[in-house]
Amino acid sequence: MPDRPLAHAMTDWSSRMRDRSAVEAQYSTTDRLSRRRSIWGPGPEGVDPNVLLRDAIVALHPRHAVEIGCGTGALAASVCRVLPSCDYLATDLSPAMVAATAAHGVRAEVSDAGSLPVPDGWADVVVAAWMLYHVPDLDGVLREVARVLAPDGTLLAVTNGDRHLATLLADVGVGPAQTQFSSENGAASLREHFGEVSQRDVETLATFPDHGAATAYLDTIDPTLGAALPAFQGPRSDAGFTTIFTARNPRPF
Ligand SMILES: C[S@@+](CC[C@H](N)C(=O)[O-])C[C@H]1O[C@@H](n2cnc3c(N)ncnc32)[C@H](O)[C@@H]1O
């Protein structure tokens, strides 16, 4: 088992997740995010939250949509394929992520989520998938989202819960991955800026073909973590806990 210094180093998960220089380094290239995304699949319900999110966006038939923290652009590309007439603007802090998204033929711009390059009320939909735990000023970003949304617009925000990958993290001596915007606390933050908030919780499953795949995954989070994973034979699976929030009636900013 890992020694206590490692456990201590990773305990303040929430601060680490929104440290600007750590976030910029983490997403300076697409490879760490792509590796992490590749091991996830549906859980016991057979539901993939990425598909659920895409379908939720499409069902709203937005004329204008803004995605913040678009990553490699997989979601943006899948929405634009189904809704070619939607003016979809994908944004991210990372130039590498924006380049990867633009390579799908999606309109993409480098932008901090706290200062979006669109006028007041422009967007019918704003999407924030697995990124609100990274922003240093969550309240400021939600205020900016409310600014760019039309009065009848919708924010779709996805995040993970405190139990996400808890079995794998426990094996390397790390406590629950609690963040500032989680399945458990996200609704309270959203209610400060939206009149109506609902959530759909989805259990997912990470499948690691072998020990090397699990250590490689952990190393994308922190290079000290993979080395702390005790040996195991064959594949292993660990549960993930994800939530899709739907927030309507943005409060006047
Ligand atoms: C965990 S990744 C999720 C990417 C994508 N939404 C997905 O589901 O694969 C978080 C993304 O948010 C971006 N990001 C982090 N902080 C940001 C900020 N303040 N403004 C805009 N993007 C940010 C990162 O560069 C990264 O691409």
Side-chain angles (χ1 to χ4, degrees):
M1 287 297 289
D3 56 17
R4 287 186 59 75
L6 172 63
H8 279 293
M10 293 297 295
T11 300
D12 191 1
W13 198 279
S14 185
S15 306
R16 273 178 61 90
M17 290 282 278
R18 55 195 161 84
D19 177 84
R20 177 56 69 99
S21 55
V23 168
E24 285 178 356
Q26 169 66 221
Y27 300 109
S28 59
T29 65
T30 58
D31 51 322
R32 282 173 287 266
L33 176 60
S34 297
R35 182 184 290 274
R36 283 204 297 280
R37 283 181 60 103
S38 70
I39 55 95
W40 286 103
E45 283 182 273
V47 174
D48 179 340
N50 290 287
V51 173
L52 218 52
L53 177 60
R54 183 205 61 197
D55 291 350
I57 299 167
V58 169
L60 290 165
H61 297 292
R63 286 173 302 121
H64 299 117
V66 180
E67 184 175 354
I68 57 179
C70 62
T72 57
L75 174 74
S78 71
V79 172
C80 292
R81 264 196 300 277
V82 184
L83 289 181
S85 62
C86 175
D87 187 356
Y88 194 107
L89 174 63
T91 64
D92 200 286
L93 201 56
S94 156
M97 296 299 177
V98 167
T101 301
H104 291 291
V106 172
R107 184 157 79 96
E109 284 185 33
V110 173
S111 171
D112 189 311
S115 176
L116 295 168
V118 295
D120 298 356
W122 184 81
D124 306 305
V125 170
V126 172
V127 182
W130 290 282
M131 67 79 65
L132 289 173
Y133 42 54
H134 280 317
V135 299
D137 178 8
L138 176 59
D139 201 50
V141 168
L142 292 177
R143 201 175 315 119
E144 178 67 351
V145 168
R147 177 189 75 77
V148 305
L149 272 173
D152 60 350
T154 302
L155 166 66
L156 293 164
V158 186
T159 194
N160 298 327
D162 294 349
R163 290 182 299 153
H164 190 72
L165 270 188
T167 48
L168 181 66
L169 295 176
D171 282 355
V172 294
V174 173
Q178 292 169 327
T179 66
Q180 65 175 355
F181 188 83
S182 66
S183 304
E184 291 78 10
N185 64 20
S189 295
L190 291 170
R191 281 196 195 101
E192 297 289 318
H193 298 273
F194 293 87
E196 187 190 330
V197 176
S198 62
Q199 74 182 82
R200 164 84 191 269
D201 298 327
V202 182
E203 187 174 335
T204 55
L205 193 69
T207 303
F208 303 102
D210 52 32
H211 184 263
T215 58
Y217 181 97
L218 287 164
D219 284 345
T220 69
I221 302 170
D222 186 292
T224 62
L225 287 182
L229 184 66
F232 62 85
Q233 297 300 316
R236 73 175 277 169
S237 296
D238 295 88
F241 296 90
T242 288
T243 295
I244 300 176
F245 289 102
T246 303
R248 295 197 174 87
N249 301 337
R251 298 194 197 284
F253 47 93

